[in-house]
Amino acid sequence: MTRPIDSHLAGGNRRSVAGLKPQHFGWAVERQVGVITLNRPERKNPLTFDSYAELRDLFRTLAYADDVHAVVVQGAGGNFCSGGDVHEIIGPLTKMSMPDLLAFTRMTGDLVKAMRACPQPVVAAIDGVCAGAGAIVAMASDLRVGTARSKVAFLFTRVGLAGCDMGACSILPRIVGQGRASELLYTGRALPGEEALAWGFYNRVVEPEAVSAAAIDWAAELASGPSFGHAMTKRMLHQEWSMGVDEAIEAEAQAQAICMMTQDFHRAYHAFVAKQKPVFEGD
């Protein structure tokens, strides 16, 4: 159920995003799930300067979305994303000045910041090639559904760069551990799907023909839950990286007290008493 947008909030803090029409990737909304499809299958869905920026802007906009409670990122044509386009990004970068290079790397980092800051859980549906910046987008997602045939590669050292790109040295060790992250970031080797599952990078592995539906179904399940509570969980997971245990416990005490003020908390209680399944509305 989509709640009507309060007229006092509609102008600046709440909006519908179902009708957005991005120019550089696909966008659809179903079952309160926003589905992003990287759709340059002939090139294995590489990113460009424009698609980086438009993705960043979309995730920033999702902070105000009232009709999307979870997000899926996927690629078209059997691959997730091959990273930055060699011809449209890598080539021009070799000719840029230092200020322009820094503007570019900050823009790519802003995409990860926007993904982590948006309140909706983000599920990546990963098949085939998932390399470079594509691996970063998968890493920055909250949950990952992969396939056995997929290959995830943080291959920045393969092109003469450092493995520290777009937050990889901070986020990846928290997913797979420091030693395994070090291996991936130093060597740039591909991580096959079953190994990615064993290492904890993937949450689930399914057949290639099922990866999109599995991710969307999982996202829809999350979207039907207490969306305010999910947003709080995501915020705490992110903020508590830099907290000590005592500070984290206090932050969670405050967060949970806020959640206890929501109507969803009351709905869950009354549904339990009535021996019914709660229907959450996100307020």
Side-chain angles (χ1 to χ4, degrees):
M1 179 185 298
T2 300
R3 294 185 294 111
I5 301 173
D6 189 290
S7 60
H8 297 90
L9 297 175
N13 296 305
R14 291 289 184 272
R15 59 172 297 186
S16 169
V17 297
L20 295 179
K21 298 185 183 301
Q23 297 182 8
H24 302 287
F25 48 84
W27 171 253
V29 175
E30 53 181 282
R31 292 185 287 169
Q32 296 184 309
V33 175
V35 181
I36 296 168
T37 304
L38 307 177
N39 55 4
R40 299 178 66 198
E42 72 284 355
R43 302 279 291 278
K44 299 180 181 177
N45 308 315
L47 297 175
T48 65
F49 293 110
D50 289 333
S51 60
Y52 264 123
E54 195 167 32
L55 282 167
R56 173 204 61 197
D57 293 345
L58 173 61
F59 277 106
R60 286 177 174 170
T61 300
L62 286 171
Y64 308 103
D66 202 70
D67 54 348
V68 168
H69 293 167
V71 180
V72 167
V73 185
Q74 63 182 2
N79 291 291
F80 184 69
C81 175
S82 57
D85 190 290
V86 172
H87 301 291
E88 296 185 40
I89 287 186
I90 309 301
L93 289 178
T94 64
K95 302 173 185 177
M96 285 186 184
S97 65
M98 181 60 191
D100 289 340
L101 290 170
L102 187 56
F104 168 72
T105 54
R106 283 175 171 164
M107 177 184 72
T108 63
D110 281 345
L111 169 57
V112 173
K113 291 180 183 179
M115 291 180 69
R116 300 310 310 147
C118 85
Q120 298 87 349
V122 180
V123 182
I126 304 161
D127 190 21
V129 171
C130 177
I136 296 290
V137 170
M139 175 198 76
S141 300
D142 297 282
L143 301 165
R144 287 158 289 277
V145 179
T147 67
R149 73 180 185 182
S150 66
K151 295 185 182 300
V152 179
F154 297 84
L155 43 66
F156 307 107
T157 58
R158 299 290 181 93
V159 296
L161 297 175
C164 56
D165 197 72
M166 300 169 68
C169 287
S170 175
I171 299 173
L172 189 59
R174 290 175 167 88
I175 300 173
V176 301
Q178 183 79 6
R180 288 169 170 171
S182 297
E183 177 183 341
L184 295 176
L185 297 177
Y186 278 126
T187 67
R189 78 166 178 90
L191 186 66
E194 292 296 345
E195 190 175 12
L197 178 64
W199 281 21
F201 188 77
Y202 286 164
N203 299 89
R204 303 175 181 178
V205 166
V206 299
E207 293 301 316
E209 62 272 15
V211 67
S212 177
I216 293 172
D217 286 346
W218 198 5
E221 180 183 339
L222 294 171
S224 69
S227 56
F228 184 92
H230 287 336
M232 188 66 81
T233 299
K234 181 168 181 174
R235 180 178 294 274
M236 289 295 100
L237 281 169
H238 188 68
Q239 288 186 351
E240 288 179 35
W241 286 357
S242 58
M243 292 182 185
V245 174
D246 288 351
E247 291 84 0
I249 291 172
E250 174 58 23
E252 292 190 7
Q254 295 180 25
Q256 204 71 303
I258 292 170
C259 289
M260 289 173 183
M261 292 292 294
T262 65
Q263 292 303 309
D264 275 347
F265 178 62
H266 293 265
R267 290 185 186 101
Y269 168 72
H270 292 299
F272 178 82
V273 170
K275 298 182 178 181
Q276 298 174 348
K277 183 178 179 179
V279 178
F280 296 115
E281 298 183 26
D283 60 343

